Every structure is written in C-alpha cells, then in structure tokens.
Amino acid sequence: PLASPPLDGAAVAIARNFGSAGGNADACAANLHAAWPVVTALGATAAGRSFLSEAFRLCDGSIGDDAGAGRRLAEAVQGVFFDLAEANYPFPSTYITSAVGPGLYPLPAWPLRRACDGLNESLATVSGDVASVNFSVRVDGVAAAADWDAVATSNVANFTLEELRAMPTLTSLLEGVRGAWAVWCNV
C-alpha cells in the first residue's frame, strides 16, 4: 500500500480511465482536460452563460448569473466521474446508484466508456503541461489558459452569443461533455 498517497491520486486514477488505459481513445481525456477551462471561461460572461445553458440543456438562469457560473458547472460535471469510476464494470449495475442515489437505476456496462462516446475525436488543441495544470486550450476561436486552480486568461469576452453558436467544434466539445455527464444524470 501507499504510505503517502498523492493528494490528487483519486483524480489522476479517474482521469486515466478516460484515455487508452480505460479502453477509450486518448482524445477523450484530452477533450475533458480542455473542457474545464473553456467552461469556466464561458461562465464568466453573459453570452457564455447563455451558450453553456443551451449546450447543456439547462433551465434559464440555473447556473447563476455571476462570473463563477462556469466553474460551478465544471465542478458539477466533474463530480459525477468518481461515482462512474466506481461503477465502471463490464455489465450494467445498480451497485453505485443504489448506494449514493438516485435508486436502483442501472448504469450501462463500462459507463466511463459510454461517457467518452461523444469525445473520442480530437476537438481542442491543448498545449503546456496538463499534469501540473499549467496549459492553454484553443477550440475554434476560443482560447483559455489554466494555471493550477484558475483560468488565468481567456478571450471569451470578445464573442457574442451568436458567434459562439456558430463555432461547430466548440459546440461539439460541450455536447460531448454534456453526454459524459448524462451517463450519470440521466440514470
């Protein structure tokens, strides 16, 4: 056993499941890494929040109307991945859903693989050091830079809602992330 496990050990292990070690394309893990600073940056503007609400099919105003809305949404999406990892069996199971809620609803076989269904093609360019959380992301015209626990820079404020809607790769990325979240939320 590990005498002194790393603080982020669970997150690292879960993240591995979204790549080839978990039977997925490595693009899935890269897309999820790219998504968090983009979602966080989009949530900082009114146009971005509207776009996120549309992409994630959320009720108007449900993510809030402040600059922290994107971060909260990213945290909500990330929050289900621990439960999906615990239930990542090669057969449908109610083991985790019955233990933590919402009840005896089966997750699909290999739920983390199902979570990657919409994320298995490269949708974003990531440069820098993802492992030390110091990297930048570009998808369509949107750029964001992550620096440990913050989005250090972003150009999202330059875009209107109509311009964001016209970005097909950004839309695909967010739809893929929504699909990953839905594996748990649509149990």
Side-chain angles (χ1 to χ4, degrees), residues 2-4 7 12 17 26-27 37 41 64 68 103 119 138 140-141 153 157 175-176:
L2 290 175
S4 181
L7 185 60
V12 169
N17 280 284
D26 285 328
L119 295 166
R138 182 168 290 281
D140 286 331
T153 60
E175 287 174 351

Side-chain angles (χ1 to χ4, degrees), residues 40 71 75 132-133 146-152:
T40 300
R71 183 177 181 124
E75 289 171 352
S132 66
V133 195
D147 185 6
W148 187 235
D149 66 346
V151 174

Side-chain angles (χ1 to χ4, degrees), residues 16-42:
R16 281 191 195 121
N17 280 284
F18 288 105
S20 58
N24 293 303
D26 285 328
C28 180
N31 287 328
L32 286 170
H33 283 299
W36 311 135
V38 170
V39 168
T40 300
L42 285 167

Side-chain angles (χ1 to χ4, degrees), residues 80-147:
V80 303
F81 293 154
F82 182 86
D83 294 330
L84 288 177
E86 283 191 316
N88 203 32
Y89 306 123
F91 49 84
S93 172
T94 60
Y95 174 70
I96 297 300
T97 58
S98 66
V100 299
L104 294 174
Y105 300 100
L107 289 170
W110 298 116
L112 290 179
R113 292 181 186 177
R114 294 299 63 80
C116 284
D117 283 348
L119 295 166
N120 282 323
E121 294 180 26
S122 182
L123 298 170
T125 301
V126 178
S127 56
D129 188 355
V130 172
S132 66
V133 195
N134 187 3
F135 61 95
S136 60
V137 176
R138 182 168 290 281
V139 55
D140 286 331
V142 172
D147 185 6

